[in-house]
């Protein structure tokens, strides 16, 4: 490890990186090898050299983890008092806070996400646990139905059982905790299958949860490939639900593979979100939001505004400013605090994004790219890129690139831009910029997306629903919406008197 890379990193972060060792599974409260003893290499996005080896889980490891999760669910965890259960959740939050200075550097080191951005994501992760502990104690409430003087009916929420959680690499720690927190707080047990390209912080999370001393088997992590470990988790008959975040095609494959065991699915999938800028918008703020929305997280962001529709009256000005921004974005080592865009996660993904830039050229776009420092040749760097002269018929406008690449288009009329915004298979997020409040609401409501921001960048309150429409997902997580997925509602009907009962055969 080149120490000069870590000048901006805290002492705790330096120690965490210096002590990276091979990653084992975490099953039934123990850190163990895979049954097969197989491992895979974890590669640095910045140097493309091997960071460490990761235990490669398969069906037998998933079986072990599910068995442990079932035992915990039927045993100690399932029988805990609510307050005791939530105390564990608060303890996990406190431990994450204590270790932020280690987790954020590990995440940046592993994924290439700039450290200034991972710090914020990790802080959000602790909040996910605290938030769901509070939500369960205050909002996990049933309904009561009085039926004249004859009946009282009421609903209760019960944990579903074993939650299989499958997560991607683009904001690993945050997205894992986003699922684990509501799953555990509502009383389920968990088997997590993290993304194979970003194992470090999932392992750190297992260490933290181990330190929080949850009963054995409540939380398990099985590292491994999607096609083996992930697919076994999906097919397992004793896993009641799968919460998945990842690509749309993987989501559809998972639903097919889980169909035989009739699981519940929550699907957070891909996106190709529009940002619509009208000519009366606060142009500087819209530009800030547009630039941040596509180039933060290296463009590997599900809610990224990867399609810009700018009104033709301001298109020239806005595009010129966007090009200026792209040229000035600091591309560099993710471990440096001033870096704004780091290397992409993996060479395979880098090749995909590169291929899209070629396709853009072939489709007739003018491709304008910023700068990657010359010495950064070893990493998976793609310069922030603007695609001009794009239109909706192109693949680069229809397909998710998932890199620092924005397609720019113009429009004249409101109806026209709504039609263009909706003319993709995705419907995750959208952004509208205008000072006309009526138009803002009107357009917002007509865009097909699970989430829409007016005159705002992607700021989320944890109480609000998160999820997409069309091919961007099924169901909503976030706030009390997560309860619909992580709990089973039971209705209890109680007779208060002697109501009529037919007397067959009397
Ligand atoms: P991916 O679909 O390749 O992998 C996601 C996870 O699924 C990984 O853990 C992988 O191992 C696993 N997996 C792969 N094949 C599997 C199978 N057959 N059975 C079970 N598990 C399997 O996605 P990715 O490349 O890691 O992540 C990027 C994608 O995630 C992008 O499309 C992005 O838009 C999406 N994403 C969506 C959201 C959202 O909330 N909507 C958030 C973040 C990322």
């Amino acid at each position: 490890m080149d120490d000069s890379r870590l000048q901006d990193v805290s002492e705790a972060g330096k120690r965490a990186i210096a002590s990276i060792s091979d990653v084992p599974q975490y099953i039934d409260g123990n850190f163990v090898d895979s049954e097969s003893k197989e491992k895979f290499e974890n590669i640095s996005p910045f140097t493309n050299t091997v960071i460490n080896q990761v235990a490669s889980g398969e069906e037998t490891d998933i079986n072990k983890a599910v068995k442990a999760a079932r035992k915990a669910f039927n045993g100690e965890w399932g029988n805990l008092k609510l307050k005791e259960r939530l105390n564990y959740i608060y303890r996990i939050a406190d431990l994450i806070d204590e270790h932020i200075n280690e987790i954020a550097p590990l995440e940046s080191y592993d994924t290439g996400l700039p450290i200034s951005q991972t710090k914020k994501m990790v802080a959000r992760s602790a909040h996910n646990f605290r938030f769901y502990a509070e939500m369960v104690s205050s909002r996990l409430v049933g309904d009561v139905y009085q039926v004249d003087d004859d009946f009282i009916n009421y609903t209760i929420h019960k944990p579903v059982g074993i939650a299989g959680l499958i997560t991607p690499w683009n904001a690993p720690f945050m997205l894992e905790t986003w699922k684990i927190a509501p799953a555990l707080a509502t009383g389920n047990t968990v088997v997590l299958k993290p993304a194979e390209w970003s194992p470090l912080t999932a392992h750190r999370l297992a260490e933290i949860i181990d330190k929080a001393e949850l009963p054995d088997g409540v939380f398990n992590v099985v590292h491994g490939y999607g096609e083996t470990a992930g697919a076994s988790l999906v097919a397992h008959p004793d896993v009641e639900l799968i919460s998945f975040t990842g690509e749309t095609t993987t989501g559809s494959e998972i639903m097919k593979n889980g169909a035989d065991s009739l699981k519940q699915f929550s699907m957070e999938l891909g996106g190709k979100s529009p940002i619509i800028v009208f000519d009366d918008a606060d142009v500087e703020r819209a530009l800030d939001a547009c630039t941040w929305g596509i180039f933060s997280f290296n463009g590997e962001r599900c809610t990224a505004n990867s399609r810009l529709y700018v009104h033709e009256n301001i298109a020239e000005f806005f595009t010129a400013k966007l090009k200026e921004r792209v040229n000035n974005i600091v591309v560099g080592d993710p471990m440096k605090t001033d870096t704004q865009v780091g290397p992409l996660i993996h060479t395979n993904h880098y090749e995909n994004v590169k291929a899209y830039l070629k396709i853009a050229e072939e489709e007739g776009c003018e491709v304008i790219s910023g700068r990657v420092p010359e010495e950064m040749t070893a990493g998976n760097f793609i310069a922030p890129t603007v695609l001009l002269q794009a239109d909706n018929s192109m693949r680069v406008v229809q397909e998710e690139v998932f890199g620092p690449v924005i397609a720019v288009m113009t429009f004249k009329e409101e109806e026209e831009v709504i039609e263009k915004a909706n003319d993709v298979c995705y419907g995750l997020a959208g952004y509208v910029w205008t000072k006309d409040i009526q138009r803002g609401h009107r357009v917002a409501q007509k865009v097909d997306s699970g989430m829409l921001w007016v005159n705002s960048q992607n700021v989320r309150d944890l109480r609000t629903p998160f999820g997409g429409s069309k091919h961007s997902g099924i169901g909503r997580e976030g706030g009390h919406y997560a309860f619909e997925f992580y709990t089973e509602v039971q209705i209890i009907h109680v007779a208060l008197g002697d109501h009529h009962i037919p007397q067959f055969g009397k």
Side-chain angles (χ1 to χ4, degrees):
M1 170 69 205
D2 171 7
D3 280 349
S4 66
R5 286 193 64 200
L6 299 186
Q7 278 161 3
D8 293 357
V9 173
S10 65
E11 288 309 311
K14 284 181 188 148
R15 277 197 301 277
I17 288 172
S19 58
I20 292 172
S21 54
D22 289 354
V23 164
Q25 315 291 10
Y26 181 63
I27 298 176
D28 204 12
N30 296 303
F31 290 97
V32 292
D33 222 340
S34 319
E35 290 287 296
S36 67
K37 311 277 185 246
E38 290 290 319
K39 292 183 193 299
F40 59 86
E41 290 179 339
N42 180 31
I43 309 286
S44 157
F46 185 70
T47 59
N48 275 309
T49 55
V50 176
I51 296 177
N52 63 347
Q53 306 281 330
V54 182
S56 184
E58 293 174 12
E59 192 181 352
T60 44
D61 306 281
I62 290 289
N63 289 346
K64 261 173 62 182
V66 172
K67 198 168 162 203
R70 176 57 61 196
K71 194 161 153 244
F73 184 75
N74 291 343
E76 192 178 345
W77 186 249
N79 290 304
L80 278 184
K81 298 270 187 237
L82 177 67
K83 192 162 180 297
E84 290 169 338
R85 187 168 85 220
L86 298 184
N87 279 344
Y88 282 114
I89 308 298
Y90 284 116
R91 200 178 302 162
I92 297 171
D94 292 344
L95 284 165
I96 291 176
D97 274 338
E98 271 175 39
H99 294 278
I100 283 184
N101 289 340
E102 298 160 29
I103 301 166
L106 280 176
E107 183 103 311
S108 290
Y109 195 64
D110 207 14
T111 60
L113 294 168
I115 191 145
S116 58
Q117 296 168 35
T118 52
K119 270 186 190 157
K120 292 196 181 110
M121 288 190 217
V122 174
R124 248 284 297 278
S125 304
H127 195 43
N128 285 340
F129 281 95
R130 244 173 238 121
F131 171 77
Y132 270 108
E134 282 159 21
M135 282 295 286
V136 164
S137 46
S138 62
R139 280 294 299 264
L140 191 54
V141 287
D143 295 315
V144 177
Y145 305 82
Q146 279 179 263
V147 187
D148 300 324
D149 291 334
D150 300 331
F151 291 94
I152 188 102
N153 303 336
Y154 62 92
T155 57
I156 59 167
H157 292 261
K158 303 204 279 193
V160 179
I162 302 178
L165 311 180
I166 303 181
T167 47
W169 45 260
N170 68 312
F173 195 77
M174 210 285 291
L175 290 171
E176 287 151 15
T177 59
W178 171 244
K179 293 181 189 299
I180 297 164
L184 291 181
T186 50
N188 301 284
T189 54
V190 163
V191 178
L192 169 71
K193 207 304 278 171
E196 50 272 43
W197 288 348
S198 58
L200 291 188
T201 50
H203 174 53
R204 196 71 193 93
L205 183 62
E207 290 179 329
I208 285 175
I209 294 185
D210 190 66
K211 207 167 167 189
E213 296 183 326
L214 271 70
D216 291 347
V218 172
F219 177 70
N220 307 273
V221 184
V222 178
H223 295 272
Y225 292 110
E227 299 72 15
T228 48
S232 306
L233 183 61
V234 169
H236 201 296
D238 204 25
V239 173
E240 276 97 349
L241 63 91
I242 293 285
S243 173
F244 170 75
T245 299
E247 280 182 32
T248 296
T249 48
T250 316
S252 129
E253 169 90 12
I254 285 178
M255 289 186 73
K256 281 182 215 139
N257 293 342
D260 282 346
S261 50
L262 286 175
K263 289 182 169 51
Q264 295 197 58
F265 294 105
S266 165
M267 291 279 153
E268 304 286 359
L269 308 175
K272 192 77 188 178
S273 303
I275 177 167
I276 301 170
V277 184
F278 284 93
D279 54 356
D280 65 343
D282 181 332
V283 175
E284 282 300 324
R285 287 181 62 75
L287 185 68
D288 287 341
C290 177
T291 315
W292 164 258
I294 184 63
F295 299 119
S296 54
F297 305 174
N298 302 343
E300 298 162 323
R301 181 175 188 147
C302 56
T303 50
N305 43 256
S306 47
R307 292 182 292 146
L308 165 64
Y309 295 99
V310 57
H311 194 277
E312 60 179 27
N313 290 349
I314 56 166
E316 203 181 320
F317 175 77
F318 199 88
T319 311
K321 288 273 187 188
L322 187 61
K323 287 197 298 202
E324 227 173 77
R325 294 288 183 100
V326 158
N327 261 317
N328 292 336
I329 286 176
V330 181
V331 176
D333 188 338
M335 307 312 289
K336 303 279 182 205
T337 41
D338 62 351
T339 292
Q340 293 172 322
V341 169
L344 299 185
I345 182 86
H346 194 275
T347 46
N348 291 3
H349 184 52
Y350 166 85
E351 293 301 340
N352 277 345
V353 176
K354 267 261 183 250
Y356 272 116
L357 297 185
K358 191 150 180 283
I359 291 168
E361 247 169 34
E362 287 163 5
E363 288 182 313
C365 286
E366 186 187 345
V367 179
I368 312 256
S369 292
R371 281 169 295 134
V372 176
E374 272 168 27
E375 67 277 17
M376 308 253 161
T377 47
N380 308 319
F381 283 101
I382 299 269
T385 299
V386 178
L387 306 180
L388 300 180
Q389 281 108 48
D391 72 61
N392 269 35
S393 66
M394 297 176 176
R395 281 184 63 191
V396 285
V397 176
Q398 292 292 327
E399 297 174 19
E400 188 183 41
V401 175
F402 219 54
V405 182
I406 186 166
V408 181
M409 289 150 286
T410 59
F411 71 95
K412 200 171 182 172
E413 306 292 342
E414 183 178 316
E415 285 301 312
E416 173 203 352
V417 76
I418 291 167
E419 201 176 303
K420 284 179 171 170
N422 289 340
D423 171 35
V424 293
C425 70
Y426 295 107
L428 189 57
Y431 308 84
V432 178
W433 285 84
T434 175
K435 281 192 184 141
D436 177 340
I437 188 167
Q438 290 179 325
R439 177 160 64 189
H441 284 282
R442 209 165 48 227
V443 175
Q445 294 185 19
K446 284 199 175 147
V447 172
D448 298 335
S449 67
M451 299 169 282
L452 198 299
W453 281 264
V454 181
N455 294 333
S456 167
Q457 60 130 328
N458 184 320
V459 181
R460 277 203 66 242
D461 181 301
L462 289 185
R463 291 170 300 180
T464 60
F466 184 95
S469 58
K470 295 170 39 179
H471 287 197
S472 289
I474 299 176
R476 297 289 181 270
E477 297 197 8
H480 66 81
Y481 299 88
F483 296 155
E484 285 169 26
F485 180 65
Y486 290 109
T487 68
E488 195 79 69
V489 175
Q490 186 181 28
I491 175 87
I492 316 271
H493 304 265
V494 182
L496 298 178
D498 294 335
H499 64 289
H500 170 70
I501 304 177
Q503 297 180 318
F504 268 31
K506 189 167 183 186

